[in-house]
Amino acid sequence: MLYRLVLLLLSPMALAAQEPVQFENQILPILEANCFQCHQETYTDAEERLREPKAGLRLDGAGWILRGSDYSEVLTPGEPDDSLFYELIALPADDESRMPAKGSPLADAKIELIKRWISEGADFGDWKGKPGPKKAHAKVTPKKTLLLQSLAEGTSEASAAGITRAAGTLAQITSALPGTGLLRVDFAGNREQVGYEAVSALMPLRELIVELDLSRTKVGDRAVGKLARMPRLVKLSLAQTEIGAGALSDVATLPELRVLNLVGTKIGDGDLRRLAKLEKLETLYLWGSKVTAGGVKNLRVLLPNCRVVLQAGLPAPEVGAEPQGRRRR
Amino acid sequence: MRIKKYLQSRDEASRREFVSQAARGMLGLSVMGQLPMASALGLKMGLTGSDDPVPLKPATARNVIYLFMQGGMSQLDTFDPKPGAETQGPVEALRTNADDVQLTQYFPHLARQMDKVTVVNSMHSTQGAHAQGQYYMHTSYAMRGTIRHPSLGAWLSRMAGKNNPTLPGHVLVGGSINTASGGFLESGHYPLPIGDPASGLTNSKLPEHVSTETFHRRLERVEQMNQAFAEKFDQKQVRAYADAYQQAIKLMNSKDLLAFDLSQEPDAILDAYGRNRFGQGCALARRLVEHGTRYVEVVMGGWDTHIDNFDRMEELCPTLDRALASLLADLDARGLLEETLVVLATEFGRTPRIVEGRNGRNHFPKAFSCLLAGGGIKGGYKYGKTDATGEFIEEDGVTVPDFNATIAYALGLPTEHVMHSPSKRPFTVADKGRPLTHLFA
């Protein structure tokens, strides 16, 4: 250290210490010669290999240097001791974190120059280099997660007994929002065995169920009647079940329902008005039900904000394609 | 003193893990994790990870249908057209039902579904050869001689478990197990491979000469042997093997086997997807997801268009157009798209420059396109930008790990959770990738 200091005092730069360091003339050449090889825009090297900037750190533009690496900022103007940019080049030669990562360390004079440049405020002068990164995109929490988070407030966790009992009836119970008590329930793998009993067994959990998939089960109107007591149910599928109009009256009392799936049911145009109370309903699936375009039109008057899916809009078969018979076993 | 933190962070993998383990221990049951919690109560919830639960994150999707365009799909001729540019060749651009999104002329059906899709036009990869590129895209890690990394489907299976206990959680239609592999995870997380979608699961019925009774007797004997074996060598692999075996048995006796049987579908639907391997594979993927399989990969080959690129596009693109448009429309009409993330990926793109003489395009990992749709992703959205020729990324470059981290994020898989290979080395889903959360609605 002392040796370094002596060197510094003797060097011509020390004499000119009043002159601020000029980035473009004094620092940039050091970076070009010692760092660019690993810290510039992705390029293809002589062996046709793609070279991405190490640690995501680019030193070939002012914006990039200020952005830092994929993990952190590397430059704090005025504070060399809080700048990895300096700290890593000043490490002992045998430290494996020392930069440049390969080859010999920078000459002491160069290290001191970089330190001084940072101390003086890391001014890039007119130099911009390669165009910098766009502003980072803000982190977004998906709408669905936000909704569940708000519903989770004030809930208590499911009692283990309740879960055991419900699971005894073939339900697949998973967390709808990890860290909270909210639950998702379906019956995949056991659907044919699910009816009134299975739905009744869910009642101890009724406060916590936000998603319930009863598609292709044997539930009827009596079972659906039970659901009316689920205050947080957001998403319900009754697709391909035998439910009738009566079930819709019970479904319509669900205060938080956003998504209702009635695909392949016997529900028809006349039954839809029972859903008018579902003010929060966002999506209603009706493909393969008895509902017609006319029925949907009437419903839109009652629920103007709800997306109603009636048709699949599948591509028409290829023109001129050989009709192929169905393979039957 | 940033450096202290820097030096510490080199040990971050182990630190993170310590924290998460401590949290798990403290929260115990109250974490309400997912399957693992249920298994703590002694419930049967499939074969996954019950002895080492992973704390999940909020998810926007439950399932993934991952369409892999093998060979390196040309971005200019599909999802990143450059109308008027010399590099575009004879291919024209096509408007879609989403204002900001253009496709090429080959995608008239998909053009009507783009309001459901996010196009990522700024993908870049570090790998320019097929095997390495495919491996990287599937695992987020570069191929090594010493270790095999799990693909996303295997991570999902390991971390979040299965949905339908009788169906495999992870299925691969077409393609090879080398890319979509379980890596160092137990065999139960490997995909079930299906060669031809139209013939479904072969060998899943009992051979004629074995009566059900004999079968069960045999099974019991195997069971006893297994138990003795497993007690003696309580190894994950042994258990996984026994589990996989149990799994196969359950499936054979289950009505869910019909999930694999495309002849259950109406002709009109199979026609819409296209009567070819990829189209039928997509139809099968939809059936499987509907029945509770959580991750299905369908592979479409033929995209390595070094020669006669434009003639090849005329064959490849219409097949893809029809299959993908049908898949999106079909999933949506059934209410499945909102919980199923549809991904279209490829190992790299192709050179904007057209190779003279051969009329082809070469490998190009510097800028290419992938798609995301459903499962909470924004619709009618375009992300990232290449320049007027397609040579350079101008905005918002997306690395392969970032792309995979985004899929993991949709599924609620914790990208910072460290899992160890049997050789005790630390790995995470999507390596160091960071999710693009702004792609979510």
Side-chain angles (χ1 to χ4, degrees):
Chain A
M1 204 60 207
L2 188 66
Y3 170 67
R4 219 182 250 181
L5 204 68
V6 173
L7 254 185
L8 183 72
L9 288 173
L10 293 179
S11 73
M13 273 176 321
L15 300 176
Q18 292 79 1
E19 273 294 291
V21 180
Q22 291 207 328
F23 180 84
E24 197 164 353
N25 296 336
Q26 296 173 275
I27 306 292
L28 185 59
I30 305 177
L31 304 186
E32 279 171 349
N34 299 286
C35 318
F36 270 30
Q37 173 198 350
C38 302
H39 294 294
Q40 63 165 311
E41 187 174 24
T42 305
Y43 67 103
T44 319
D45 69 10
E47 281 127 51
E48 293 265 314
R49 261 180 314 191
L50 214 63
R51 294 289 179 191
E52 298 203 328
K54 295 285 191 271
L57 175 63
R58 284 177 58 174
L59 302 175
D60 56 352
W64 290 107
I65 297 177
L66 290 171
R67 169 201 175 248
S69 71
D70 281 349
Y71 314 107
S72 72
E73 292 177 353
V74 298
L75 184 68
T76 313
E79 313 262 358
D81 289 332
D82 192 29
S83 298
L84 282 179
F85 190 93
Y86 164 73
E87 289 175 287
L88 294 184
I89 57 176
L91 285 171
D94 60 349
D95 192 301
E96 57 169 285
S97 297
R98 198 251 315 155
M99 287 295 139
K102 284 196 195 123
S104 48
L106 293 185
D108 286 348
K110 290 179 178 159
I111 297 174
E112 284 309 319
L113 196 64
I114 288 175
K115 181 175 188 182
R116 194 150 69 84
W117 172 69
I118 299 174
S119 304
E120 289 168 1
D123 184 1
F124 289 97
D126 289 337
W127 184 79
K128 294 211 172 50
K130 293 272 171 69
K134 278 226 318 189
K135 260 204 323 250
H137 294 270
K139 195 170 183 305
V140 174
T141 305
K143 221 173 60 193
K144 177 182 168 190
T145 308
L146 290 175
L147 170 66
L148 293 186
Q149 277 166 354
S150 71
L151 286 173
E153 275 167 32
T155 59
S156 63
E157 277 156 20
S159 72
I163 290 177
T164 323
R165 190 155 152 244
T169 66
L170 321 163
Q172 307 282 334
I173 303 173
T174 51
S175 168
L177 187 68
T180 73
L182 299 184
L183 299 173
R184 179 192 190 278
V185 177
D186 74 39
F187 294 90
N190 303 309
R191 289 173 170 125
E192 305 85 45
Q193 301 158 59
V194 172
Y196 181 75
E197 304 272 284
V199 174
S200 303
L202 293 175
M203 283 306 115
L205 303 172
R206 67 184 186 85
E207 300 259 352
L208 296 172
I209 297 177
V210 289
E211 286 182 30
L212 178 58
D213 182 353
L214 291 168
S215 61
R216 275 175 290 137
T217 60
K218 298 276 177 273
V219 297
D221 291 8
R222 192 159 80 104
V224 176
K226 283 268 173 192
L227 304 184
R229 297 173 53 228
M230 293 190 170
R232 292 188 177 80
L233 195 59
V234 168
K235 184 169 169 179
L236 173 64
S237 177
L238 295 166
Q240 330 259 9
T241 59
E242 295 295 316
I243 57 148
L248 292 197
S249 301
D250 287 315
V251 168
T253 64
L254 292 165
E256 294 294 340
L257 198 67
R258 304 291 198 287
V259 181
L260 178 60
N261 191 331
L262 300 173
V263 166
T265 59
K266 292 178 306 195
I267 299 302
D269 289 347
D271 309 326
L272 286 182
R273 76 194 127 74
R274 296 183 193 235
L275 297 176
K277 270 196 290 174
L278 288 171
E279 279 166 17
K280 293 184 178 164
L281 199 66
E282 288 168 4
T283 320
L284 176 62
Y285 295 100
L286 291 171
W287 188 40
S289 69
K290 302 270 178 282
V291 174
T292 67
V296 171
K297 213 169 137 201
N298 292 338
L299 183 67
R300 289 227 166 92
V301 177
L302 299 171
L303 295 173
N305 299 323
C306 181
R307 173 176 179 245
V308 182
V309 183
L310 184 63
Q311 299 293 337
L314 288 166
E318 240 167 314
V319 227
E322 295 262 306
Q324 290 194 16
R326 219 193 267 203
R327 291 160 53 102
R328 278 274 177 225
R329 285 186 208 166
Chain B
M1 279 294 182
R2 204 171 282 266
I3 195 157
K4 273 218 192 98
K5 238 167 67 201
Y6 176 75
L7 296 176
Q8 274 165 8
S9 74
R10 285 145 92 213
D11 205 25
E12 194 160 28
S14 48
R15 199 185 67 223
R16 276 202 215 112
E17 201 191 30
F18 172 74
V19 174
S20 78
Q21 230 151 29
R24 255 188 267 148
M26 249 151 37
L27 299 174
L29 272 186
S30 70
V31 175
M32 297 286 299
Q34 49 286 329
L35 306 176
M37 174 209 62
S39 71
L41 295 171
L43 311 180
K44 268 207 239 105
M45 298 295 240
L47 65 95
T48 44
S50 39
D51 50 354
D52 182 14
V54 173
L56 294 184
K57 296 254 174 91
T60 62
R62 287 185 59 69
N63 319 304
V64 170
I65 296 180
Y66 186 93
L67 310 177
F68 193 70
M69 303 298 111
Q70 197 161 36
M73 182 189 72
S74 168
Q75 69 284 8
L76 261 64
D77 302 311
T78 54
F79 307 126
D80 191 13
K82 300 288 172 192
E86 202 184 315
T87 48
Q88 187 64 79
V91 182
E92 313 228 328
L94 186 70
R95 294 179 50 164
T96 71
N97 69 349
D99 289 343
D100 289 345
V101 184
Q102 281 197 334
L103 298 174
T104 61
Q105 66 191 54
Y106 301 122
F107 293 91
H109 298 302
L110 191 57
R112 279 186 229 124
Q113 306 293 335
M114 290 311 280
D115 57 342
K116 307 181 173 76
V117 180
T118 284
V119 183
V120 181
N121 278 334
S122 51
M123 293 293 306
H124 55 105
S125 170
T126 55
Q127 310 292 322
H130 293 293
Q132 284 79 355
Q134 288 160 10
Y135 188 93
Y136 188 49
M137 200 70 206
H138 279 81
T139 66
S140 311
Y141 287 91
M143 211 173 189
R144 293 271 150 74
T146 47
I147 182 105
R148 289 192 62 67
H149 303 90
S151 63
L152 272 170
W155 279 112
L156 174 69
S157 164
R158 172 61 185 82
M159 291 181 140
K162 303 213 293 185
N163 185 25
N164 186 332
T166 47
L167 282 183
H170 181 192
V171 173
L172 171 67
V173 186
S176 95
I177 205 96
N178 289 330
T179 45
S181 123
F184 57 75
L185 297 176
E186 293 92 336
S187 58
H189 306 298
Y190 274 64
L192 176 83
I194 292 185
D196 179 7
S199 49
L201 258 192
T202 36
N203 295 332
S204 44
K205 290 200 198 79
L206 288 183
E208 294 281 329
H209 58 275
V210 185
S211 74
T212 321
E213 203 189 319
T214 356
F215 182 70
H216 275 282
R217 244 185 291 122
R218 279 193 201 168
L219 198 60
E220 262 164 40
R221 224 165 353 164
V222 174
E223 192 96 298
Q224 284 163 7
M225 271 161 56
N226 270 349
Q227 233 165 33
F229 192 52
E231 268 162 28
K232 207 157 140 204
F233 311 93
D234 187 26
Q235 287 167 2
K236 278 187 183 172
Q237 290 294 342
V238 175
R239 269 179 291 143
Y241 180 76
D243 282 343
Y245 196 78
Q246 278 301 325
Q247 220 43 49
I249 309 301
K250 265 201 218 154
L251 188 55
M252 271 193 238
N253 297 325
S254 153
K255 254 191 107 176
D256 281 310
L257 199 53
L258 288 179
F260 287 92
D261 185 0
L262 274 185
S263 70
Q264 304 288 316
E265 287 288 316
D267 272 346
I269 295 226
L270 296 181
D271 288 343
Y273 278 87
R275 296 281 186 172
N276 53 67
R277 217 171 244 244
F278 180 66
Q280 302 299 290
C282 288
L284 180 62
R286 191 225 79 214
R287 272 188 79 78
L288 288 172
V289 160
E290 199 173 25
H291 283 83
T293 290
R294 297 192 64 184
Y295 198 101
V296 185
E297 172 167 349
V298 188
V299 178
M300 174 173 177
W303 292 96
D304 196 16
T305 53
H306 289 283
I307 303 169
D308 292 336
N309 177 72
F310 300 100
D311 292 347
R312 301 284 296 284
M313 287 301 138
E314 308 249 339
E315 294 158 24
L316 294 164
C317 295
T319 301
L320 173 59
D321 178 39
R322 182 165 271 291
L324 180 53
S326 298
L327 182 64
L328 295 175
D330 195 9
L331 285 171
D332 184 40
R334 287 166 206 265
L336 285 169
L337 189 62
E338 56 178 80
E339 58 184 35
T340 303
L341 178 63
V342 177
V343 181
L344 179 137
T346 182
E347 62 256 44
F348 38 66
R350 307 205 76 84
T351 48
R353 202 168 36 81
I354 301 161
V355 184
E356 267 172 58
R358 292 192 270 117
N359 222 9
R361 297 190 194 271
N362 291 339
H363 301 177
F364 196 67
K366 250 167 70 178
F368 61 102
S369 301
C370 290
L371 306 181
L372 295 168
I377 289 283
K378 280 182 191 161
Y381 187 60
K382 199 168 81 175
Y383 185 71
K385 210 173 130 195
T386 50
D387 69 350
T389 59
E391 285 281 346
F392 298 102
I393 292 173
E394 271 186 345
E395 262 171 37
D396 297 325
V398 177
T399 66
V400 167
D402 285 351
F403 186 74
N404 287 337
T406 307
I407 301 172
Y409 179 85
L411 290 165
L413 305 183
T415 47
E416 71 289 343
H417 183 81
V418 176
M419 306 254 301
H420 287 95
S421 65
S423 55
K424 301 275 182 288
R425 283 158 60 196
F427 296 96
T428 49
V429 188
D431 192 15
K432 296 199 193 80
R434 287 193 285 193
L436 307 164
T437 59
H438 49 281
L439 301 189
F440 290 85

